[in-house]
Amino acid sequence: KGKPLLRRRHCGRPRVKMAQVDVQPSAEKEISAAMKLPEVQFIDDVDAYMKDKEVDIVLSQIQEKYQAYKMLENRLLQSRARMIGKVPHIEKAISMVDLLIDQQEGQSQITLDFELSDHVYTKATVNKGTQSVCLWLGANVMVEYPLSEAKDLLEQNKRNAKQNVSNHERDLNFVRDCITTLEVSLARVFNWDVLQRRNKKIEEEEKAKK
């Protein structure tokens, strides 16, 4: 199993930031829980729906639901963007592990550019026969893995990230359908109210003429 190594962020020694590994993607779990919101029903018969109801209250309720689904849409978009951004980093880490695996039986050292921080790199030499690699887990925690275990973990992370992106696309389609339904319902109730007011005004004018 991976061996945890605690490191300070700005330590003096060069470090290899192979990938940010998400062991427990809690943000995605929160969004999945939020997806338990019920599907919005389309108002087909506005007259029947509005029977014994106050227009202002109904419009307010629809508007509240609309805002809730819009907020959820924004959260899903942000989370999907994060997941999409992780895939290239994971793929880069996998290619690095593959290179180290290929060099296990090599007879020479290799010189690489190691990332110290964003846009800051240093030259470093990797000795032949390297058997392990360190992966950042976040929160100043680095775990050392044998190369084969590191590759398996990164491959699993890549599959999870792509599956999460797919799940986000599905959830976004559901939320956007609900938002469209709410927009149409809001317009139908508003137009119904305008028509009722107009008919009432016409009736009052006709009564006044008699």
Side-chain angles (χ1 to χ4, degrees), residues 3 20 24 45 48 117 166 183-184 206:
K3 181 166 55 177
Q20 182 111 0
Q24 295 178 338
D45 189 344
S117 61
S166 177
E183 289 173 342
V184 173
E206 289 180 350

Side-chain angles (χ1 to χ4, degrees), residues 177-192:
D177 285 344
C178 291
I179 289 173
T180 300
T181 301
L182 287 167
E183 289 173 342
V184 173
S185 297
L186 194 64
R188 284 171 64 84
V189 172
F190 181 82
N191 291 337
W192 178 89

